[in-house]
Amino acid sequence: MGNPLNKPYPMLLNRWRLTLIVSLFIAFFLTVFQPFGLNLLSSDNKTLILSGYGLVTFLLLLLNLFLIPTIFKQSFKAENWKVWKQILCLMYIVLSISAGNYLYSVLLSIVSWAGFKGLLLFVLLTFPIALIPIVAITFISQNVYLKKHLKLSGEINDQISNRYEAE
């Protein structure tokens, strides 16, 4: 049966849509629910500041989903994409967004703690929020991949049946 981590996995089909949806989700989630003490932030521009996390996410997704795959084309070939690469890539993206959110928070003095412990805390805070879109993206892309191959299989079966009927 083989190692499930070495199974083929579909590359992201619409990176622009994914980038926009995830970034808007982050901005919406943080603005509406204000978790992790963000409700204590007092500022006249609170909504704009919290939406800034969505902008950070957007910029880092552009870097991770467009620029890096363009630079490292061989590593990101669709025909060589595997489950383990997908997992590793998503973990890297979440880590980079965590670091970006941390830097954004430090630069805007949203948090008073800086250093490795602050970065680690941001990683621990970002992963639960990131889990929602990661799970959704993984299931959606796997379903799209499955539907695509089932449709192709059906078309091939129809062609074979038509050939036998014609004979």
Side-chain angles (χ1 to χ4, degrees):
M1 187 128 108
N3 183 349
L5 294 176
N6 278 328
K7 290 188 178 205
Y9 192 87
M11 291 292 290
L12 296 173
L13 302 175
N14 192 328
R15 295 176 294 172
W16 279 110
R17 185 177 348 164
L18 173 73
T19 299
L20 288 172
I21 289 171
V22 170
S23 301
L24 290 172
F25 170 79
I26 296 301
F28 173 79
F29 183 85
L30 293 178
T31 302
V32 171
F33 296 106
Q34 299 181 17
F36 314 118
L38 290 172
N39 59 323
L40 302 175
L41 179 67
S42 59
S43 172
D44 294 336
N45 299 320
K46 186 175 186 176
T47 300
L48 184 63
I49 290 169
L50 295 180
S51 296
Y53 288 104
L55 179 62
V56 169
T57 300
F58 179 80
L59 295 173
L60 287 164
L61 285 174
L62 288 180
L63 173 77
N64 291 320
L65 297 178
F66 292 91
L67 185 61
I68 290 175
T70 301
I71 295 170
F72 300 104
K73 288 179 184 174
Q74 284 299 112
S75 298
F76 286 87
K77 280 188 169 183
E79 60 269 15
N80 297 329
W81 201 247
K82 307 285 184 195
V83 171
W84 70 266
K85 284 185 177 183
Q86 179 71 11
I87 292 169
L88 194 63
C89 184
L90 290 175
M91 288 175 59
Y92 168 75
I93 289 171
V94 171
L95 285 173
S96 70
I97 291 171
S98 297
N101 287 340
Y102 170 71
L103 289 173
Y104 176 77
S105 297
V106 169
L107 289 172
L108 292 181
S109 300
I110 295 170
V111 295
S112 59
W113 27 266
F116 181 73
K117 286 183 181 179
L119 177 60
L120 183 61
L121 181 61
F122 256 81
V123 170
L124 294 174
L125 293 176
T126 303
F127 263 96
I129 295 173
L131 190 61
I132 297 166
I134 285 174
V135 169
I137 290 162
T138 302
F139 281 118
I140 290 169
S141 62
Q142 191 66 32
N143 283 334
V144 167
Y145 185 69
L146 179 63
K147 285 180 184 178
K148 176 182 166 186
H149 284 86
L150 285 173
K151 181 181 177 188
L152 183 60
S153 295
E155 290 170 1
I156 292 169
N157 285 338
D158 288 344
Q159 289 174 359
I160 291 170
S161 293
N162 290 340
R163 282 189 185 159
Y164 281 121
E165 290 172 3
E167 291 177 4

